[in-house]
Amino acid sequence: MLGSIGNKKVAFMPRHGRNHSIAPHKVNYRANVWAMKEIGCKVVISPCAAGSLQKHVKPGDIVFCDQYVDWTKDRLDTYFDQENIQHISAADPYCPKLREIAIKCGKDLGYDIHDHGTVVVIQGPRFNTKSESAFFTRQGWEVINMTQYPEVHLVKELGMRPLNISLITDYDAGLVSDCEPVSHEAVMQVFQNNISKLQKLLFSIVENIDEE
């Protein structure tokens, strides 16, 4: 879907399909990102529902991740696998300039935000066991999600600038906050309750991105 925010042209694509019918491990990330490049996008903002692995990162909070850990398997994650081979650095996967803009917008809106965080990306569609969740927490990682990889790296391979907005919906397997393990229904409920907050943030970020 194409439209505009202020004087900026924008494109919107629900990665799971309009009816959320595509599982995270079945999303055609290469096609989605390629489509964004083909229509002329320079910036790709990737909002996602995500779980928390640390007690201080609470449901309803927003994390602007600056690192990821790939825990997926068998996903097509590059455009350079047959010819014209290139090796693109992933040392700093998310655009620092965009993160600065997003963090300021979040603060200006009065949201509970975290200006950095590592997201571990699991294969899905299942959630973690308690043992897996405890392991990820011990690593010090803050966020868990099923879609950030390979999406963010493909954006970089095509020369666009990626930004992540992780809307925290739950405490993963419930260990760090001694609560019930995450359920699909609970995730969707928190996400729907916070969708207007996310929309305001997205509009503010787009309006504050410099044209150049």
Side-chain angles (χ1 to χ4, degrees):
M1 288 169 273
L2 304 178
S4 61
I5 296 176
N7 62 347
K8 297 186 180 74
K9 294 179 180 179
V10 296
F12 172 71
M13 180 189 295
R15 65 171 72 84
H16 294 283
R18 291 190 181 189
N19 298 314
H20 203 89
S21 58
I22 306 171
H25 67 298
K26 293 288 189 179
V27 172
N28 193 335
Y29 296 97
R30 293 200 300 183
N32 289 354
V33 174
W34 186 270
M36 292 291 187
K37 179 69 173 180
E38 281 290 289
I39 63 172
C41 291
K42 297 179 180 178
V43 166
V44 177
I45 303 174
S46 297
C48 63
S52 170
L53 294 166
Q54 305 296 335
K55 193 167 187 177
H56 69 280
V57 181
K58 305 179 297 297
D61 288 3
I62 288 173
V63 183
F64 300 106
C65 291
D66 57 341
Q67 288 287 310
Y68 66 74
V69 175
D70 172 26
W71 217 263
T72 65
K73 55 187 177 185
D74 302 326
R75 294 189 181 185
L76 298 175
D77 61 356
T78 183
Y79 296 107
F80 304 124
D81 55 355
Q82 293 185 19
E83 55 186 42
N84 190 28
I85 303 300
Q86 297 182 41
H87 303 282
I88 306 299
S89 173
D92 294 299
Y94 298 100
C95 175
K97 189 75 173 179
L98 288 176
R99 291 184 64 258
E100 286 179 14
I101 294 168
I103 290 164
K104 183 179 186 305
C105 289
K107 289 179 177 178
D108 289 347
L109 287 167
Y111 293 167
D112 292 322
I113 68 164
H114 302 266
D115 60 12
H116 71 280
T118 295
V119 54
V120 55
V121 189
I122 60 173
Q123 178 73 355
R126 72 167 177 86
F127 292 121
N128 282 325
T129 66
K130 289 182 177 180
S131 293
E132 290 168 332
S133 186
F135 172 77
F136 294 148
T137 295
R138 287 196 299 271
Q139 306 314 302
W141 304 330
E142 291 85 1
V143 179
I144 189 158
N145 169 258
M146 298 178 185
T147 59
Q148 277 301 286
Y149 190 84
E151 190 170 273
V152 57
H153 188 68
L154 293 170
V155 169
K156 291 199 74 171
E157 283 196 344
L158 292 186
M160 297 179 287
R161 293 173 178 263
L163 170 69
N164 167 252
I165 304 173
S166 289
L167 173 61
I168 303 302
T169 57
D170 59 88
Y171 276 117
D172 197 41
L175 297 181
V176 296
S177 195
D178 191 26
C179 59
E180 288 296 312
V182 58
S183 69
H184 177 76
E185 291 75 19
V187 167
M188 295 309 295
Q189 184 63 55
V190 175
F191 190 80
Q192 290 299 323
N193 291 345
N194 286 273
I195 195 71
S196 62
K197 182 166 77 172
L198 181 58
Q199 288 170 338
K200 288 179 184 177
L201 177 60
L202 283 167
F203 273 61
S204 179
I205 292 170
V206 171
E207 289 166 355
N208 282 279
I209 292 175
D210 190 286
E211 287 285 1
E212 298 302 319

